[in-house]
Each structure stands twice: as structure tokens, then as C-alpha cells.
């Protein structure tokens, strides 16, 4: 399969060109393309690449037996494989699947101080395995969290270049609706991306074949691999609990009130008994929490209730693969996004926001019907985001904007299947513009501040 261009490619080049670069840790769920991207970068930029996979090459799990100094590590690596050689200033040491040997993280401090060799570490479930490490070299490493392909990367896979992004951004800045051809083409592409998701293997299969054939089976194999990880990396009753939380995500999102309810997991299930299971899925990069704000004001992070949240899948294509056969047929033939009460729409927006670097927050007022799907912050305020699976009024958003109770909310964004528009301080954008919200926000604020 051809290599898929990824956003980490540019990040790795910048890391390489930074004279003060530290060892890099690339985190993310399994099968999102970490190894392939790092390997491609490595052989393109280094004369000498040493790749050690701690799952496929278990003998190297003893390389710290004589201590953490770089010379001791080099000595043990070359003793285990005499074909390996180290060349100062031209060697990249790539430790892959480091969840199988998490102690290697402690050695990063010594590589950072030594400075003779560049180091990249990668692996799945790193958030979980950090807990096993005595020292994790805080201040001596750089971290990058990688996800499955977002919509922009999907467009690259389909053959579009960066000029399309500029076209979309200009329309957003000018609040200018797209022409029929552009709008329908991008709408169809976004629906394809939503159903296919962003797992590289699935995307490659779809792009090369031009059809959905085989993609559902591939997605379900990945979901099965996630369940296998749960069995492998949890023990006792936690296996059942984590699996139950994982399997409940689709029907929890299908409820009108999409707040995650532990009582739906079975008799006796509650926050105190299952909260760690949700954290496990989040640490593994499989699912992501959207926290409920106590009140829509700044700071967002310090103003949320940890016990109230929605739980979204990190890849919408995998979420769809977990639905029943009737829903699959509905989505893949008619591309009906209303399936599961708009849960698909919310999940893909949550996914695109997350991949843009936004943490996820929502608000539900206890004493009224007021509820808002997401919130992001501007330079001096709070911006509500509403996801509309169907046409309809934005009653909650208008209340947030016009009420004196919410002084930091002056305007909002509505995402839907409709074209670009602006009315009564609400910007309307089609779903396929979600990945550009962060750049649009910066440009919007720059334009306003210069006026």
C-alpha cells in the first residue's frame, strides 16, 4: 500500500531541525500509523537507523540491566546484535512498541543529556504504562499525540492538495457560501470519511478499491484487536468492566441525553466502581471524554465536573462498525446521518475538534432544557458549538448569546449539513469545515483586532 501523507510528517521534520531537540515520544492508539510514519522519516533523514521493536525482538528487554547510562545501553545493544553500530550525530535510535518495555522511558533523560544520538519512542497504551515507570524523564523528552487520519489527511489520501484547504478557509473568513459543485463534492467526501474513519489500513483499502468492499470487516478486526488489548492489559474483573464500558459507547451516545450513565452497565455499576475503566479507554487512545461544564465560563478546564461526561470514540468509523447491521446498511447506502439520534454527527465533530487540539467540553443546565454540544475558547471569551443533524432552530445557542447570565458568550458556531451562513451572531458551517475551526478562529480574531 502507498504511504499516506500525515501531519506528523511535518512535525518530525521540525523536530529534526531543532538544535535543542529532546528525545521524542509518539503516543497514540494501535494501528493509527505511528510506526510507518516514523520509519519513513527515519530512513529519509538519517544515515544510520537502529530500530528495536520490544514485542518482536524481546531479547532487547534486558538492555538496561547494567544501568541507564548511554554507554551501557549501547554496549548491551551491540552485544545482543553485533551487526548494529552507532555513529555519532548521524544515528536515530527508534524504540518501538515500548509498552512492552516501559522502563526504557527512564533512559531518555540520559540520552537527552548525552546528545550524541537522536531517539524516538513509540507504542500503544503508553498512557496506561506510564503508571508502571519509576521515573519518566519529565523535562527531558518531547511528546506528540497521534490520532487516526482527520478529514484533511483523508483529502490528501484522495489526491487533493493544500490549495483546497485555502479555498475552504477563504469562504469561511468571508462567510461566503460554496458553489453547488464544491459543496456537494466536499459533503460527499466528508460522509465517506465519517463512514470509513481514519484508520490508515481502512483508508488505503477504500482509496485503492474505490468502494466500501471489505472496509467493514477491516474495521471490525481492529475493534476485535482493541478487545484483545483489554484482555491482555487488564486483569480479573476489570476485563469485564472495561469491555462493558467499551461496548456500551454506541448505545450511550444514541440516547437523547448523551451523558454517560454507569447505571446502564448493569446491576451495581456506578461511578466509583467503573470510573477507572473509562480512564483506561481514554489512556489507550480508544475513547475520549467530553466533560460537562459546571457553568460556561473561563477557565474551561477548571470549571468542569469530572463525574459528568459524554464518551466518544476516537475514530468515528470504528464507532459505526460497532453498530447493528440495519444501521450499517442505512449509513453505507443512504448515508443517513440521523441514524442513532445524531450520535454519528456529534462523534465526528468531537473527533475533528480533538484532532485540532481542542479539549472537549459541553454544558447541560440542570434546571432547564438548555444544552450545548461543545465549547471552545476564543482569546477573551467562550464560543458555543452546536451540532445539527437536521434543520432546526438553535434555541439553546441563542439563549446563551442573548442572556445576561453568560457575559463571555457573544457569538456561536453551528455545524450542520447546510452551506455557510451568518445570522444573529451565529456562524453556520458545513461539517466538512470543522477541521479548520482553529485556523479560522485565529484569522477571525486577527481581522477583528485590526479593524
Amino acid at each position: 500500500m502507498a504511504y499516506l501523507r500525515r501531519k506528523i510528517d511535518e512535525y518530525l521534520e521540525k523536530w529534526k531541525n531543532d538544535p535543542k531537540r529532546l528525545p521524542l515520544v509518539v503516543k497514540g492508539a494501535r494501528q493509527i500509523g505511528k510506526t510507518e510514519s516514523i520509519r519513513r522519516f527515519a530512513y529519509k533523514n538519517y544515515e544510520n537507523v537502529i530500530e528495536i521493536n520490544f514485542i518482536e525482538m524481546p531479547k532487547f528487554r534486558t538492555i538496561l540491566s547494567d544501568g541507564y547510562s548511554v554507554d551501557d545501553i549501547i554496549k548491551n545493544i551491540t552485544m545482543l546484535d553485533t551487526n548494529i553500530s552507532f555513529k555519532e550525530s548521524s544515528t536515530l535510535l527508534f524504540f518501538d512498541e515500548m509498552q512492552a518495555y516501559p522502563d526504557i522511558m527512564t533512559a531518555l533523560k540520559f540520552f537527552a543529556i548525552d546528545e550524541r544520538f537522536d531517539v524516538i519512542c513509540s507504542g500503544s497504551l503508553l498512557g496506561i504504562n506510564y503508571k508502571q515507570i519509576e521515573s519518566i524523564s519529565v523535562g527531558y523528552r518531547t511528546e506528540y499525540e497521534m490520532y487516526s487520519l482527520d478529514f484533511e489527511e483523508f483529502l490528501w489520501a484522495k489526491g487533493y492538495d493544500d490549495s483546497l484547504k485555502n479555498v475552504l478557509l477563504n469562504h469561511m473568513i468571508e462567510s461566503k457560501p460554496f458553489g453547488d459543485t464544491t459543496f456537494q463534492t466536499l459533503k460527499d467526501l466528508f460522509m465517506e470519511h465519517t463512514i470509513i474513519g481514519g484508520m490508515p489500513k481502512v483508508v488505503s483499502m477504500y482509496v485503492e478499491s474505490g468502494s466500501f468492499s471489505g472496509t467493514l470487516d477491516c474495521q471490525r478486526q481492529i475493534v476485535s484487536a482493541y478487545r484483545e488489548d483489554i484482555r491482555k492489559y487488564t486483569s480479573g474483573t476489570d476485563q469485564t468492566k472495561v469491555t462493558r464500558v467499551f461496548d456500551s459507547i454506541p448505545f450511550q451516545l444514541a440516547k437523547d441525553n448523551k451523558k454517560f450513565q454507569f447505571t446502564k452497565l448493569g446491576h451495581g455499576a456506578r461511578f466509583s466502581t467503573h470510573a477507572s475503566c473509562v480512564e483506561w479507554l481514554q489512556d489507550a487512545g480508544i475513547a475520549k471524554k467530553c466533560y460537562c461544564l459546571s457553568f460556561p465560563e473561563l477557565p474551561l478546564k477548571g470549571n468542569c465536573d469530572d463525574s459528568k461526561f459524554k464518551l466518544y470514540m476516537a475514530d468515528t468509523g470504528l464507532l459505526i462498525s460497532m453498530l447493528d447491521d440495519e444501521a450499517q446498511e442505512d449509513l453505507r447506502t443512504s448515508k443517513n446521518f440521523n441514524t442513532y439520534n445524531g450520535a454519528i454527527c456529534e462523534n465526528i465533530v468531537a473527533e475533528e475538534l480533538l484532532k485540532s487540539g481542542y479539549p472537549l467540553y459541553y454544558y447541560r443546565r440542570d434546571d432547564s432544557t438548555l444544552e450545548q454540544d461543545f465549547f471552545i475558547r476564543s482569546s477573551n471569551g467562550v464560543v458555543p458549538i452546536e451540532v445539527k443533524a437536521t434543520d432546526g432552530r438553535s434555541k439553546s445557542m441563542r439563549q446563551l448569546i442573548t442572556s445576561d447570565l453568560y457575559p463571555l458568550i457573544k457569538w456561536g458556531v453551528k455545524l450542520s449539513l447546510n452551506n455557510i451562513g451568518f445570522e444573529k451572531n451565529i456562524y453556520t458551517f458545513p461539517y466538512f469545515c470543522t477541521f479548520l475551526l482553529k485556523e479560522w478562529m485565529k484569522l477571525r480574531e486577527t481581522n477583528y483586532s485590526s479593524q
Side-chain angles (χ1 to χ4, degrees):
M1 292 184 179
Y3 178 75
L4 299 177
R5 177 187 173 190
R6 304 299 302 276
K7 290 183 178 178
I8 194 176
D9 299 341
E10 183 178 352
Y11 178 87
L12 290 170
E13 295 288 347
K14 289 181 179 179
W15 174 79
K16 174 72 167 64
N17 293 327
D18 182 357
K20 297 181 179 180
R21 63 187 172 276
L22 297 171
L24 175 63
V25 177
V26 180
K27 299 167 28 177
R30 66 146 63 216
Q31 299 191 42
I32 57 170
K34 300 184 296 296
T35 298
E36 188 175 7
S37 293
I38 295 168
R39 187 179 289 151
R40 181 176 181 272
F41 158 78
Y43 286 99
K44 177 183 175 183
N45 288 276
Y46 289 85
E47 176 186 338
N48 188 40
V49 178
I50 300 168
E51 180 177 345
I52 295 176
N53 184 308
F54 288 117
I55 288 181
E56 297 178 0
M57 307 155 76
K59 67 181 181 180
F60 286 100
R61 296 181 201 172
T62 62
I63 59 177
L64 300 178
S65 58
D66 293 323
Y68 295 104
S69 77
V70 173
D71 286 334
D72 283 336
I73 295 171
I74 290 174
K75 178 194 71 176
N76 286 332
I77 289 175
T78 53
M79 187 175 295
L80 289 166
D81 188 340
T82 57
N83 293 316
I84 293 177
S85 62
F86 285 78
K87 301 175 182 178
E88 293 185 19
S89 303
S90 62
T91 293
L92 175 69
L93 186 54
F94 174 28
F95 293 121
D96 199 10
E97 300 289 6
M98 59 176 296
Q99 74 275 7
Y101 191 51
D103 258 1
I104 196 66
M105 185 75 75
T106 308
L108 298 187
K109 173 181 178 179
F110 300 89
F111 278 104
I113 295 171
D114 185 273
E115 294 186 340
R116 285 179 291 166
F117 311 103
D118 288 348
V119 180
I120 297 179
C121 297
S122 179
S124 306
L125 307 168
L126 291 186
I128 295 162
N129 283 281
Y130 278 168
K131 300 180 179 73
Q132 302 174 12
I133 307 169
E134 292 182 7
S135 170
I136 54 175
S137 303
V138 175
Y140 294 95
R141 70 175 191 275
T142 303
E143 291 188 357
Y144 181 92
E145 186 159 9
M146 190 174 176
Y147 299 95
S148 62
L149 281 78
D150 68 4
F151 184 52
E152 184 176 10
E153 291 171 315
F154 181 77
L155 290 174
W156 294 340
K158 293 282 285 186
Y160 293 91
D161 59 26
D162 294 332
S163 62
L164 178 58
K165 172 183 173 179
N166 296 329
V167 170
L168 300 183
L169 201 51
N170 286 336
H171 275 265
M172 293 173 72
I173 290 295
E174 298 171 10
S175 294
K176 178 183 176 182
F178 298 107
D180 290 344
T181 300
T182 300
F183 178 74
Q184 192 59 50
T185 300
L186 269 295
K187 180 179 174 181
D188 290 344
L189 284 166
F190 190 78
M191 286 182 171
E192 290 173 17
H193 168 59
T194 301
I195 295 168
I196 288 298
M199 304 305 282
K201 185 177 180 180
V202 183
V203 173
S204 292
M205 182 182 295
Y206 178 72
V207 170
E208 291 177 10
S209 69
S211 74
F212 289 118
S213 178
T215 57
L216 178 57
D217 287 341
C218 187
Q219 289 169 323
R220 285 176 170 169
Q221 287 171 11
I222 295 171
V223 170
S224 294
Y226 284 169
R227 291 195 180 97
E228 181 60 33
D229 281 341
I230 294 172
R231 287 190 292 271
K232 184 176 180 180
Y233 291 99
T234 58
S235 58
T237 58
D238 282 349
Q239 290 184 12
T240 302
K241 289 179 180 178
V242 176
T243 302
R244 193 173 290 161
V245 171
F246 177 58
D247 290 338
S248 77
I249 294 174
F251 79 76
Q252 294 264 6
L253 287 175
K255 303 193 306 289
D256 288 332
N257 174 16
K258 296 176 176 60
K259 172 192 168 186
F260 193 87
Q261 295 177 288
F262 290 95
T263 55
K264 301 294 183 182
L265 300 177
H267 178 71
R270 57 182 67 89
F271 179 82
S272 60
T273 59
H274 284 69
S276 62
C277 302
V278 176
E279 293 300 324
W280 194 99
L281 292 169
Q282 176 151 284
D283 288 342
I286 295 171
K288 293 295 179 180
K289 284 183 177 180
C290 179
Y291 293 98
C292 184
L293 294 171
S294 301
F295 192 79
E297 62 184 1
L298 297 176
L300 295 176
K301 186 175 182 180
N303 187 36
C304 58
D305 186 340
D306 290 343
S307 67
K308 295 180 181 178
F309 56 87
K310 301 176 186 178
L311 193 61
Y312 294 104
M313 285 289 289
D315 186 272
T316 306
L318 296 186
L319 170 69
I320 291 174
S321 76
M322 296 168 70
L323 304 181
D324 54 70
D325 290 341
E326 289 77 12
Q328 294 289 335
E329 182 69 18
D330 196 22
L331 281 160
R332 291 171 186 270
T333 55
S334 65
K335 298 182 177 63
N336 180 12
F337 273 24
N338 295 332
T339 300
Y340 273 63
N341 293 335
I344 304 301
C345 302
E346 275 196 39
N347 202 96
I348 189 64
V349 169
E351 180 186 338
E352 293 295 318
L353 290 175
L354 186 71
K355 291 175 178 178
S356 299
Y358 284 116
L360 302 179
Y361 303 102
Y362 78 103
Y363 178 60
R364 184 180 178 91
R365 188 167 160 179
D366 292 333
D367 60 352
S368 76
T369 58
L370 191 152
E371 181 174 7
Q372 199 62 63
D373 300 315
F374 300 102
F375 286 87
I376 57 178
R377 68 158 299 167
S378 61
S379 59
N380 56 3
V382 177
V383 181
I385 296 179
E386 183 165 350
V387 179
K388 279 288 186 184
T390 58
D391 291 334
R393 297 176 59 195
S394 305
K395 183 179 178 181
S396 290
M397 182 178 287
R398 293 198 185 283
Q399 185 176 340
L400 287 167
I401 293 171
T402 58
S403 174
D404 293 337
L405 292 174
Y406 312 103
L408 292 181
I409 300 176
K410 305 296 185 184
W411 53 278
V413 173
K414 181 169 70 173
L415 299 168
S416 71
L417 291 172
N418 297 321
N419 213 324
I420 289 179
F422 179 73
E423 183 181 11
K424 297 181 180 179
N425 289 332
I426 296 178
Y427 294 89
T428 298
F429 296 122
Y431 292 124
F432 59 75
C433 290
T434 307
F435 79 97
L436 287 169
L437 278 181
K438 199 160 198 174
E439 290 185 59
W440 171 76
M441 289 273 290
K442 290 179 181 178
L443 291 171
R444 180 188 180 278
E445 292 184 349
T446 300
N447 290 343
Y448 270 78
S449 63
S450 63
Q451 293 176 1

